[in-house]
Amino acid sequence: MQKSLEKPSTNRYAWLNRNSLVRCLEAVQDLLVISLCIGLFSFMTIQLRAMFYSLLPPLNFQVVTSDILFLLILVELFRLLIIYLQEQRISIGVAVEVSIVSVLREVIVRGVLEAHWSQILASCAFLLVMAVLLVVRVWLPPTFSGIDPERRLSMRNKLLTPDQLSESIHPMDSPVTASILAEDNNRVRGEY
């Protein structure tokens, strides 16, 4: 009698399957990013038209430079969204590059001589931090270029029995983990 009562409650939550729910949320997120791409592309074409109008005489150097740099920022943001759609991650390098170009655009538009010294100092500090991020990014392990530590652990947990998992002192001691590590290292060597 208890079994008949338990079945409807488990069937009632069947739509909460984690894998299908995650896939559905990822599809909705991809649709949002695609709509952002379309909107950003439309805005880029409008900005490009405005930039061509600013090239007509009388020519204002600050306006033309500002429009060109703003268009480059939009192109980099579009590239950031495309990378996200392809790899399902945000590219740190592209985000830092967009930040650097945005700060430089503001400095050029306002003019170095017209800006307050504290704003210039803050901009210099920000640019220094962004430059350090670009340099440090090179030494970070290539998590997204074929080596995925989360995949390693999930594969190891799927392939090992619970007894083998409890016997293993360290996750890297398993022969299954060693084979996954070798596969990832071969993949990385083949990419470079």
Side-chain angles (χ1 to χ4, degrees):
M1 189 169 204
Q2 288 180 347
K3 290 182 181 180
S4 63
L5 293 175
E6 290 177 11
K7 283 185 179 181
S9 64
T10 57
N11 289 337
R12 183 173 31 162
Y13 297 111
W15 65 274
L16 278 176
N17 184 2
R18 188 180 311 166
N19 293 332
S20 62
L21 186 64
V22 167
R23 275 184 275 147
C24 180
L25 290 174
E26 285 178 346
V28 169
Q29 188 174 6
D30 286 345
L31 286 175
L32 287 173
V33 173
I34 289 170
S35 66
L36 282 173
C37 284
I38 293 169
L40 190 60
F41 188 77
S42 302
F43 187 67
M44 281 192 304
T45 56
I46 293 169
Q47 187 64 29
L48 188 63
R49 188 182 70 127
M51 185 186 74
F52 282 127
Y53 283 138
S54 68
L55 289 173
L56 298 173
L59 192 64
N60 186 354
F61 177 72
Q62 276 188 328
V63 172
V64 171
T65 308
S66 172
D67 288 344
I68 291 171
L69 288 174
F70 187 62
L71 195 60
L72 289 174
I73 291 169
L74 293 177
V75 167
E76 288 296 315
L77 285 173
F78 188 77
R79 188 173 73 143
L80 187 69
L81 291 174
I82 296 297
I83 290 172
Y84 179 79
L85 282 175
Q86 289 174 343
E87 302 178 15
Q88 299 296 316
R89 68 178 182 92
I90 298 293
S91 172
I92 295 172
V94 175
V96 169
E97 291 169 4
V98 168
S99 301
I100 289 172
V101 173
S102 299
V103 169
L104 291 176
R105 177 189 178 268
E106 289 301 315
V107 168
I108 289 172
V109 168
R110 290 186 183 184
V112 177
L113 298 176
E114 297 172 8
H116 194 263
W117 67 270
S118 61
Q119 290 176 340
I120 298 296
L121 189 62
S123 298
C124 289
F126 182 76
L127 288 173
L128 186 64
V129 168
M130 292 293 115
V132 168
L133 273 176
L134 276 178
V135 171
V136 168
R137 181 183 61 93
V138 174
W139 288 308
L140 290 176
T143 304
F144 292 104
S145 64
I147 298 176
D148 190 0
E150 293 172 358
R151 185 179 77 83
R152 288 181 189 173
L153 291 175
S154 66
M155 288 296 291
R156 183 184 64 86
N157 290 338
K158 286 179 186 175
L159 295 176
L160 293 179
T161 63
D163 294 333
Q164 290 172 330
L165 280 174
S166 64
E167 290 174 5
S168 175
I169 298 171
H170 191 271
M172 297 305 195
D173 292 342
S174 162
V176 174
T177 304
S179 67
I180 294 172
L181 285 172
E183 176 187 324
D184 283 343
N185 289 334
N186 290 336
R187 185 179 305 126
V188 169
R189 279 189 216 119
E191 289 181 0
Y192 292 116

